[in-house]
């Protein structure tokens, strides 16, 4: 399927989605959201695809929600259609993992979109920020919440209040990104990590994603209880029997997703 604002390719069991509005530094307008929802739904529905990589250009992962689109919009135009709610729908509908591969600017909605990923892989050129305050507004796609959970109150508050950018090294130190790689190796590394994930047992992959995400929505004791129940549940899967048997028999496991 062709998209107006995205390039979508399959690399084996990995879907590579590239934001493609170069003249607007991949600013996220309504068309990008509609395309992302459709591309993520297609990825989720395709049993042959196990992991997705979302990336932008060398200069910009995405420079934010589209300011030119938002400038004339008032309360009614935003609250009425619940602008940006499509991102929540997209996340709820995606049980398989995805990685944000960020090079250059990830600002405002761009930073927020990257933070929706299961993890962020950053090029050494990556710059993160929530500069909405400089436009007389505030984050609207989860930035105040996800950035605070990722880097803690002090840095999140400072970034939201001043609009300053955070470079890749600081972002890694602060826990916002999983790893930094040289810009020229970003896509190759992201695809390799995604292929590793896609090559694992799909039930275990889904469970691990669900478990880590549960840490943000539950108390510690409930989270640990949920984890143990999930661990017991996985014991009923063929893949768990196969994984442990393969270890003992010193051979590679053959996953069935059952
Ligand atoms: N929306 C719409 N267009 C954008 C854009 C955005 N967020 N960011 C950049 N562009 C456009 C510019 O208007 C420009 O278009 P024209 O050539 O037609 O003038 C083009 O992309 C190139 O941008 P610049 O000339 O500004 O490029 P630069 O290299 O000089 O600067 C930048 C790069 C520092 C990223 C700068 O573009 C910038 O500050 N962009 C805006 C960043 C921002 O404020 N993002 C937050 C948006 S609000 C938001 O996201 C709300 C939310 O939480 C949901």
């Amino acid at each position: 399927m062709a998209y107006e604002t995205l390039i979508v390719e399959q690399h084996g069991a990995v879907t590579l989605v590239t934001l493609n509005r170069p003249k607007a530094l991949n600013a996220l307008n309504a068309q990008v959201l509609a395309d992302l929802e459709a591309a993520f739904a297609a990825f989720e529905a395709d049993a042959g695809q196990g992991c997705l990589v979302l990336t932008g250009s060398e200069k910009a992962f995405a420079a934010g929600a589209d300011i030119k689109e938002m400038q004339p919009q008032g309360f009614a135009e935003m609250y009425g259609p619940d602008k940006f709610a499509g991102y929540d729908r997209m996340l709820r509908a995606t049980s398989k993992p995805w990685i944000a591969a960020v090079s250059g600017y990830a600002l405002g909605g761009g930073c927020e979109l990257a933070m929706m990923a299961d993890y962020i892989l950053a090029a050494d050129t990556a710059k993160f920020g929530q500069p909405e305050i400089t436009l007389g507004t505030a984050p609207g796609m989860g930035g105040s919440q996800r950035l605070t959970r990722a880097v803690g109150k002090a840095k999140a508050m400072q970034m939201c209040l001043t609009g300053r950018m955070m470079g890749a090294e600081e972002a890694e130190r602060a826990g916002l990104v999983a790893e930094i790689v040289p810009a020229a190796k970003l896509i190759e590394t992201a695809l390799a990590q995604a292929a590793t994930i896609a090559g694992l047992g799909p039930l275990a992959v889904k469970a691990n994603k669900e478990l880590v995400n549960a840490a943000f929505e539950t108390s510690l004791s409930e989270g640990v209880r949920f984890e143990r129940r999930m661990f017991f549940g996985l014991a009923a899967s063929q893949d768990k029997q196969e994984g442990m048997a393969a270890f003992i028999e010193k051979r590679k496991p053959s996953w069935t997703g059952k």
Side-chain angles (χ1 to χ4, degrees), residues 23-25 27 59 63-68 70 84 105 107-109 112 130-132 134-135 138-141 165:
K23 288 191 188 135
L25 301 185
K59 178 169 176 182
D66 192 312
I67 299 167
K68 292 166 190 166
M70 288 183 296
F84 304 138
Y105 297 111
L107 301 178
E112 293 169 300
Q130 297 293 159
E132 290 89 344
T134 66
L135 301 168
M141 284 166 50
M165 294 184 210

Side-chain angles (χ1 to χ4, degrees), residues 199-210:
L200 293 164
L203 290 178
V205 168
K206 181 173 168 158
N208 276 275
K209 168 169 170 158
E210 197 179 342

